[in-house]
Amino acid sequence: MMRQAGRYLPQYRRVRAGVDFLTLCRTPSLAAEVTLQPVDELGVDAAVIFSDILVVLEAMGLPIEFPEQGGPKLARTVSSPGAVEELHIAEPEKQLSYVGEAISLCVEQLRGRGVPVLGFAGAPFTLACYAIEGKTSRDFTAARQFFYQYPEVGTQLLEKIGESVALHLEMQVRAGAAAVQVFESWGGLLGQSFYRERVLPVMRQVIARVQSLGVPVIFYLNGSVQHLESMAGSGADVLSVDWRLPLREVRERVGTEVSLQGNLDPVALHSTPDAIAQQVREMFSGLDMRGIVGNLGHGIGSETPVENARAFVKAVQGYRA
Ligand code: 1CP
């Protein structure tokens, strides 16, 4: 599940009560502990390393803060073409080595259990949104404006972030990640041709770089309806889609060469275990199940009842059986 290690789990909140979010990310033993909680508690088939997409921006020279209220904030933003010039390419082996150490610890602790560890990173456009605006936004208007105002510099920004993301993912693979997921959480804000022409070329490069190390890449895009053909053209091994279209229809649009991951609306986990099992059957109905990964259509909410998250995992695994 997306964001499977986190606030809806009481065990996570107990660990978090003693440390701030960034300390948790930067302490490999603690990051590994919370990464493994959903494996033990829910029986998920893969562990998703505990980290955040924004750590790459910090390594590029934009310090981040995670205040207890109000969501993450950057201490500096990219507000002019000059600021793009000043950004560094991240050096993950030096600056983000804690992520690799946490992955290696998880791999070691999961040995013999048949549970792979997944790495992840934000996609270049989604990270550019945070780099330009410095915090979350409903529609990232200022970020999108930047790309129209400074088309060439906008592309340079995507390329610099893309290079940093590729290096970060390569480091995670070397540390033992069996696959990686790239999160394009804000891609749905863009029109079809803008995404295809301005963003997809950089995504393709990132994906190919990681694949050359021999691991599959999962490409998640929230708001995927208008971008399915772009996603299919990205070269990713698995397309992870939101809940807005049935998987059957997604399959028709992207063909049979690529695997699909998804796509229950995470809000549906606020029903009952029986209703969740019914929704999982509906989600898979009429599909050839080869190359299908059962998942949510976006991150699990922090108020989700744990027994319902468990019911979701059980329903997917029951369907597979
Ligand atoms: O206090 C806390 O515990 C902070 C809450 C929190 C958590 C648990 C944040 C702040 N990040 C995380 C962990 C996290 N972030 C994971 C954990 C690993 C797992 O999957 O189990 C992952 C995969 C992420 C990825 C992430 N961070 C994304 C992409 C996925 C998505 O939901 O679209 C995004 C957009 C972020 C930014 C971010 N970090 C934290 C928050 C609250 C946000 C969202 C801000 C916003 O709404 O724009």
Side-chain angles (χ1 to χ4, degrees):
M1 286 192 294
M2 285 182 254
R3 308 249 294 252
Q4 68 186 20
R7 289 173 293 182
Y8 72 102
L9 279 177
Q11 295 90 326
Y12 170 80
R13 291 199 299 271
R14 276 200 289 279
V15 175
R16 260 291 269 120
V19 283
D20 63 80
F21 178 75
L22 271 177
T23 304
L24 177 50
C25 290
R26 290 174 184 150
T27 311
S29 58
L30 291 178
E33 181 183 340
V34 298
T35 298
L36 300 181
Q37 286 172 348
V39 178
D40 295 327
E41 278 306 307
L42 311 181
V44 289
D45 297 293
V48 180
I49 192 62
F50 188 81
S51 181
D52 195 81
I53 64 167
L54 301 176
V55 297
V56 166
L57 293 182
E58 177 154 75
M60 295 181 73
L62 304 172
I64 42 171
E65 284 165 40
F66 289 87
E68 294 300 327
Q69 300 295 328
K73 281 204 168 50
L74 303 190
R76 248 198 314 282
T77 58
V78 170
S79 52
S80 67
V84 174
E85 201 63 31
E86 283 167 25
L87 284 178
H88 315 293
I89 302 293
E91 297 181 79
E93 305 279 354
K94 264 199 246 162
Q95 297 168 293
L96 303 169
S97 57
Y98 55 85
V99 180
E101 284 166 38
I103 290 174
S104 301
L105 280 177
C106 290
V107 169
E108 215 172 283
Q109 286 170 36
L110 288 167
R111 188 152 291 142
R113 290 178 65 180
V115 177
V117 179
L118 307 186
F120 73 88
F125 171 73
T126 290
L127 287 177
C129 285
Y130 290 107
I132 294 166
E133 300 213 9
K135 57 182 186 328
T136 196
S137 155
R138 194 168 54 84
D139 52 13
F140 283 101
T141 304
R144 288 183 293 129
Q145 190 179 315
F146 190 95
F147 284 95
Y148 283 102
Q149 224 170 341
Y150 312 111
E152 279 164 27
V153 179
T155 297
Q156 280 163 16
L157 174 62
L158 290 176
E159 285 171 350
K160 265 185 149 168
I161 297 175
E163 175 66 21
S164 301
V165 163
L167 291 167
H168 185 40
L169 291 170
E170 286 166 351
M171 185 272 282
Q172 295 179 62
V173 171
R174 281 195 290 274
V180 301
Q181 176 155 332
V182 184
F183 284 97
E184 189 72 283
S185 303
W186 296 104
L189 293 175
L190 295 175
Q192 193 178 57
S193 60
F194 190 103
Y195 198 87
R196 186 177 57 228
E197 285 152 28
R198 308 273 318 264
V199 181
L200 189 61
V202 181
M203 271 305 292
R204 273 209 200 96
Q205 286 171 15
V206 171
I207 290 168
R209 285 265 294 271
V210 181
Q211 286 171 330
S212 70
L213 299 181
V215 301
V217 176
I218 308 163
F219 177 13
Y220 171 71
L221 196 150
N222 186 25
S224 41
V225 176
Q226 74 271 33
H227 297 313
L228 286 174
E229 288 73 19
S230 287
M231 292 175 78
S234 70
D237 300 274
V238 184
L239 308 182
S240 183
V241 295
D242 66 72
W243 60 92
R244 292 170 179 90
L245 283 180
L247 285 179
R248 298 178 285 287
E249 215 170 308
V250 175
R251 178 52 92 206
E252 274 168 27
R253 279 186 43 194
V254 302
T256 52
E257 290 298 301
V258 68
S259 294
L260 293 181
Q261 172 174 290
N263 70 343
L264 190 74
D265 185 348
V267 176
L269 298 186
H270 288 271
S271 58
T272 62
D274 283 347
I276 290 164
Q278 176 56 35
Q279 300 228 36
V280 167
R281 284 193 294 275
E282 162 58 21
M283 167 168 105
F284 291 145
S285 74
L287 270 180
D288 178 339
M289 290 301 287
R290 284 174 295 186
I292 301 289
V293 180
N295 205 307
L296 301 175
H298 198 187
I300 186 168
S302 58
E303 307 294 323
T304 305
V306 178
E307 65 271 25
N308 288 355
R310 204 178 283 125
F312 172 67
V313 173
K314 234 180 113 201
V316 170
Q317 291 168 341
Y319 197 93
R320 179 175 69 198

